[in-house]
Amino acid sequence: MICSADINAARLLKRLDDFAAIGATPAGGVNRAALGRQDQAARALLAGLALERGFRVFQDPLANLFIRRDGKNGSLAPFLIGSHLDSQPTGGRYDGALGTLAAFEVLEALEDAGLETEASIEVVAWTNEEGSRFAPGAMGSMAFSLGHIPQNWQDIRGTDGVFWRDALAETLAALPVAEQRPLGFPISGYLELHIEQGPSLENEDIPIGIVTGVQGTRWLDITVTGQAAHAGTTQLAFRRDPMMAVTHALHTLYETIMPEDGDARLTVGRITALPGSVNAIPGSVSLSIDLRHPQSDRLDKIEAQVSEAFQSSVAPHGCKADIRRTFDMSPARFFQPVIEGVERAARHLRLRFKHMVSGAFHDALYVARIAPAAMIFVPCRDGLSHNEAEYVEPDHCVAGARMLLQSALEVISAGAGKH
Ligand code: GLV
Ligand code: MN
Ligand code: MN
């Protein structure tokens, strides 16, 4: 399908700058914790821009934000394009924002060109993709795909102690201009543009990744409990030191999981010792573990190895380990006809591409459970993301937005609306 609409590069790049100013950090990144004030400000800015252009704005009970440009055939389910606006605590300005703002640029480009689509197109900004303030991640797209809010989410507290349900209520109330929408209404398909967050496109000098699937993720919260005691007077034989047990378990895991399987990832990103005093043996040590693998059965085995390493390390130190799984995202495969639509778009735009599996998780993984979905990646400098230094060449941002526009039209015209 040949498309007469085109991305306005200057407008897209300015939008990226404007949104990067919300929650800007001194080192050039952003801090827009999910459902926090900065996240709310970013939503309000996007909703305001949408209303100015005459689009309708909705939010559902999870505060997923939708911006609708009506299609010719109101009986067709809308086609969704988007990503997220929340960030890591020291996050980059492109992770999530590029996909959301490029999606909005697609609506504006269609509007500028007066090009009508058969199905309506809606931009979506999913709630709490990152999961770093409130776990699990991808809460908005997960609840949307389930069609309900899991009961056990009501008691979730953020890393700052705030109840998730209170932050959600505050965020919903902060956007009174949005019309209300039920959770999980029918959609005809989904496309998400995102930065790769790894180095392969840059290393191979390829501007576009066509994502065929996403590897699986599991998160564990582990607390090892021993006995707090005096740092100066307690001899080795009398110590019940959870830090010694934790370091022993982690040493074993770092020596085995990734060295033995090149596809496995194990990350300890958060660790807290309590009471947290320089001259007291800690009474407990809590840590997060993030596990990734493209195969579910390998994730099962790795999780069992983690459990075994902790259980066998705590006993010699007179400690106990409590291990809780907080997130389980099975690997996903995207929908072949949507992937093919994205390939046609790349050929039409004469952009070189390669197929890839995403190492990071994305909202598209959950959306793929209920609708035909796929993703488009663009390179980021040094493959760096979840870092304030994250950077994407302007040309790559614009090429990604062009791909999103052309791919959406390809997929819609191939009949996604009738799927
Ligand atoms: C998403 O932010 C991830 O951690 O993969
Ligand atoms: Mn992201
Ligand atoms: Mn992220």
Side-chain angles (χ1 to χ4, degrees), residues 34-100:
L35 305 175
R37 291 285 151 83
Q38 307 297 342
D39 187 19
Q40 290 164 14
R43 291 158 182 271
L45 177 56
L46 188 60
L49 292 168
L51 292 172
E52 270 171 35
R53 279 294 324 228
F55 303 138
R56 283 174 76 186
V57 175
F58 302 87
Q59 55 185 351
D60 68 13
L62 243 283
N64 293 316
L65 179 67
F66 301 91
I67 295 164
R68 179 181 176 95
R69 179 173 188 266
D70 284 326
K72 280 189 270 191
N73 186 343
S75 69
L76 293 177
F79 188 84
L80 259 54
I81 50 177
S83 192
H84 60 97
L85 287 171
D86 65 313
S87 82
Q88 290 284 312
T90 51
R93 40 184 359 244
Y94 303 90
D95 175 0
L98 174 63
T100 311

Side-chain angles (χ1 to χ4, degrees), residues 213-299:
V214 182
Q215 71 173 346
T217 301
R218 290 219 185 137
W219 286 354
L220 308 175
D221 266 356
I222 301 183
T223 298
V224 177
T225 311
Q227 187 175 50
H230 197 290
T233 60
T234 316
Q235 292 171 4
L236 182 57
F238 296 102
R239 287 183 177 231
R240 291 173 51 206
D241 184 346
M243 191 62 87
M244 290 176 79
V246 166
T247 49
H248 185 266
L250 290 182
H251 180 70
T252 306
L253 293 169
Y254 284 135
E255 292 290 300
T256 50
I257 306 289
M258 290 190 284
E260 287 171 6
D261 180 345
D263 287 335
R265 306 282 182 267
L266 172 127
T267 304
V268 177
R270 188 152 58 212
I271 185 157
T272 313
L274 291 176
S277 169
V278 63
N279 51 357
I281 295 165
S284 69
V285 173
S286 300
L287 62 148
S288 62
I289 296 202
D290 175 308
L291 303 172
R292 314 263 175 144
H293 201 283
Q295 290 161 245
S296 278
D297 58 337
R298 284 292 304 145
L299 272 176

Side-chain angles (χ1 to χ4, degrees), residues 129-130 292 360-361 386:
E129 190 274 348
E130 294 292 358
R292 314 263 175 144
F361 64 74
H386 288 191

Side-chain angles (χ1 to χ4, degrees), residues 339-361:
I339 294 170
E340 285 165 14
V342 180
E343 289 168 1
R344 285 196 298 279
R347 283 194 202 97
H348 172 72
L349 294 171
R350 299 182 195 286
L351 287 165
R352 280 173 306 118
F353 63 90
K354 71 166 199 162
H355 293 108
M356 55 200 304
V357 171
S358 173
F361 64 74

Side-chain angles (χ1 to χ4, degrees), residues 115-126:
L115 200 145
E116 284 192 288
T117 53
E118 202 60 35
S120 303
I121 303 187
E122 295 195 14
V123 172
V124 55
W126 301 107

